[in-house]
Amino acid sequence: MTLTVVQCVDESRWDSAVNELLGHPQQLWGWGKTKAAHGWSVDRVLMQDDGVLVGCAQVLLRKLPVPFRSLAYCPRGPQTVPGREADVLGALEVYVRQAHRPVALSIEPDWDADAAPAMALPAAGWRSTANTILIGRTLILDLTLSEDELLAGMSKKHRQYIRKSGREDLEYRQVTRAELPRCLAVYRQTAERAGFGIHENPYYLDIYDNLGSASPVIAAFQGDDVVAFLWLSASDHTIFELYGGMTPEGEQLRANYALKWLAIQSMKERGAVRYDFNGLLNDGVSKFKMGWAKHENQLAGTWDKPLSPLYPLYSRAMPLARDGVRLAQATAAKLKAKLPGRS
């Protein structure tokens, strides 16, 4: 069935569509606006069937070296009414091919890996790829459960540390914009210790400004000092963890336990249904995440629709380029950590 594809240039209309279709916060207008100010361009389209909204997709476009032109990327989208996933994807593919001529359309839909829409992707010409931005293996809490049920699903150690850190002389609350630099200083220290690369501060301030109330930041304060923070993004339906960090003092006080529990409680009170921990790897941070429930979630992963004869070359070159960038970022972080006056 052919759908009508219409560009959306109205922020209020767009966010209403995303929330109406139970979409992900990385599909909200403010996220695309931030990416558009930092190396990407953005196109937002509504898919309609006889004037009725059945899907929408925020597509980020990144210029690539010659001869690849660009990559079209839809983070945790598109969102659709149930049963119309194939129709929406087909309409999106045709639109992106004609409007932007990228080497590929890459999607990381917010679907379970074993759900029917995800299982149907290979037959529709989509190719699973390891060129992932958002990790498919994650932990998603059901916020419709009671607080007692959520606590019962945690490890015993997590429940103990929530109580312990809650008794420490710490203040847990949402931060103001003026306090964000303190959180970002903690994030930079965390990145230097762990050896991963991060953006410069203006990027994160843009996220805060552009997402507004959809980007709450919660922190643990010891006096005026931030010892741990957690940065979220929020649609009406889904909460998605963006960033977090902790000082050595915060680690000693187990501040991240009471802080995370406060975030979960706050987002439950907000009315959200799902709380996504944003990826699980085989590291210490993921071990901490896995203590919050007895299950894991596997989302559909990353899928490409080749839109150019050059796609096979692109698919081989992309992992090498990305590994090079990650190595450079990690090396830069380690060098910064060794500079005099830095912790």
Side-chain angles (χ1 to χ4, degrees), residues 243-264:
Y243 316 109
M246 188 164 50
T247 65
E249 293 81 8
E251 186 172 5
Q252 273 192 330
L253 295 168
R254 309 289 186 182
N256 52 336
Y257 288 88
L259 178 64
K260 181 91 74 176
W261 179 233
L262 174 61
I264 292 167

Side-chain angles (χ1 to χ4, degrees), residues 106-179:
S106 185
I107 62 171
E108 290 175 331
D110 199 16
W111 306 335
D112 289 336
D114 58 358
M119 300 290 284
L121 289 171
W126 292 86
R127 301 187 186 183
S128 179
T129 175
N131 295 332
T132 294
I133 295 178
L134 299 175
I135 300 168
R137 179 189 171 213
T138 187
L139 170 61
I140 301 175
L141 295 182
D142 178 0
L143 296 186
T144 66
L145 298 175
S146 70
E147 289 189 7
D148 286 343
E149 289 172 319
L150 290 169
L151 285 165
M154 299 177 197
S155 72
K156 181 180 179 181
K157 182 186 76 173
H158 274 52
R159 292 193 296 271
Q160 291 173 339
Y161 283 154
I162 287 171
R163 292 192 294 269
K164 179 182 183 299
S165 57
R167 293 192 296 265
E168 298 290 351
D169 187 20
L170 298 172
E171 180 187 9
Y172 297 90
R173 61 173 172 82
Q174 192 162 324
V175 307
T176 65
R177 191 187 192 282
E179 293 168 328

Side-chain angles (χ1 to χ4, degrees), residues 180-217:
L180 279 180
R182 296 186 225 172
C183 296
L184 293 174
V186 172
Y187 192 41
R188 194 160 299 281
Q189 293 169 14
T190 302
E192 289 169 355
R193 289 196 305 271
F196 63 85
I198 64 174
H199 298 278
E200 295 300 320
N201 283 8
Y203 176 81
Y204 303 105
L205 295 175
D206 282 350
I207 291 174
Y208 187 86
D209 292 339
N210 292 334
L211 281 172
S213 62
S215 184
V217 183

